[in-house]
Amino acid sequence: MKKTDRDAVIDAALTLFRMNGYHNTSMADISASCGLLKGSIYHYFPGKKELAIAALDRVIAETREKLFRPALDSSVPAEVRLANLAERVERYFIGREGGCVMGNLALEVGDAIPEFQERVRTYFNDWKDALATLLEAKHGRARAEEMAEDIVARVQGAIMIMGVNKDERPLRRASRETVQLLAAADASASAVPVSA
């Protein structure tokens, strides 16, 4: 599918928001980055906030399609889906300068812009729900949701450290440990208790 000028504007905005933050990115920065006149951007978006909302909606749609929806395909064993999800998360973030735009905006803007907060929450809930669905059969729903929150927090921290140190090993370790959660559950379930 051929990208439109609107797509190019969103692409540029996402990169700049991820690298520089929302407040430190101007419409002039975005127009320079995508090679369009500033007035052309206003043809698609009335302002920076509306552009940011479209960009966040794009991230939600993209991650649902590429990362989270495949994790819900019950025709594939949960262990395989969890390993695939961990690998897709690695591929999505490794080499992505600036880390996670959703995590960055959550820290920068917090609840000051409700439309952003709603989208950031949706993104993280999608991620958490995909993980909890994979872990539920082995751990029960309540524990699976706790584990999923912990995994997302660990991965987000690893993404931040990866950006600071320019080292992808923390994210790769977080992925391996995530995958081991089902393997560990399988091993403990199949262990034969030793009688005294």
Side-chain angles (χ1 to χ4, degrees):
M1 174 186 280
K2 185 178 184 294
K3 288 213 171 192
T4 64
D5 285 347
R6 184 180 190 278
D7 292 327
V9 170
I10 292 174
D11 289 345
L14 273 173
T15 299
L16 291 170
F17 292 151
R18 192 172 61 243
M19 293 176 58
N20 303 330
Y22 176 74
H23 294 301
N24 289 330
T25 298
S26 68
M27 292 295 266
D29 295 331
I30 295 165
S31 70
S33 179
C34 67
L36 293 174
L37 296 173
K38 187 175 169 184
S40 299
I41 295 177
Y42 289 105
H43 172 73
Y44 300 109
F45 304 101
K48 185 170 77 166
K49 179 178 164 185
E50 291 78 14
L51 170 53
I53 288 169
L56 297 180
D57 286 343
R58 156 95 68 79
V59 172
I60 290 169
E62 182 179 273
T63 54
R64 277 181 177 164
E65 187 62 31
K66 293 181 179 177
L67 302 181
F68 308 135
R69 187 169 290 131
L72 305 177
D73 179 2
S74 60
S75 69
V76 178
E79 295 82 358
V80 173
R81 287 182 279 153
L82 185 59
N84 289 343
L85 175 57
E87 180 191 356
R88 284 190 301 269
V89 167
E90 277 185 28
R91 280 197 320 251
Y92 188 78
F93 288 110
I94 288 177
R96 188 172 290 242
E97 194 172 353
C100 175
V101 70
M102 292 293 197
N104 296 350
L105 283 179
L107 293 173
E108 178 188 4
V109 178
D111 59 359
I113 305 175
E115 296 89 345
F116 292 7
Q117 183 186 39
E118 172 189 331
R119 284 161 175 84
V120 169
R121 185 181 299 116
T122 295
Y123 167 81
F124 284 116
N125 283 339
D126 284 351
W127 194 349
K128 184 189 83 166
D129 290 344
L131 286 164
T133 297
L134 293 169
L135 298 168
E136 181 175 9
K138 298 286 182 188
H139 300 281
R141 187 66 190 185
R143 179 66 184 130
E145 287 181 356
E146 290 174 350
M147 293 171 76
E149 284 181 347
D150 292 345
I151 292 166
V152 172
R154 168 79 193 277
V155 170
Q156 279 294 306
I159 291 165
M160 184 178 68
I161 296 298
M162 180 177 69
V164 168
N165 294 332
K166 308 300 182 219
D167 181 358
E168 62 195 41
R169 288 178 298 176
L171 180 56
R172 293 198 185 278
R173 278 195 306 275
S175 293
R176 281 195 312 271
E177 290 170 11
T178 297
V179 171
Q180 290 169 357
L181 290 172
L182 284 181
D186 287 340
S188 64
S190 63
V192 177
V194 177
S195 55

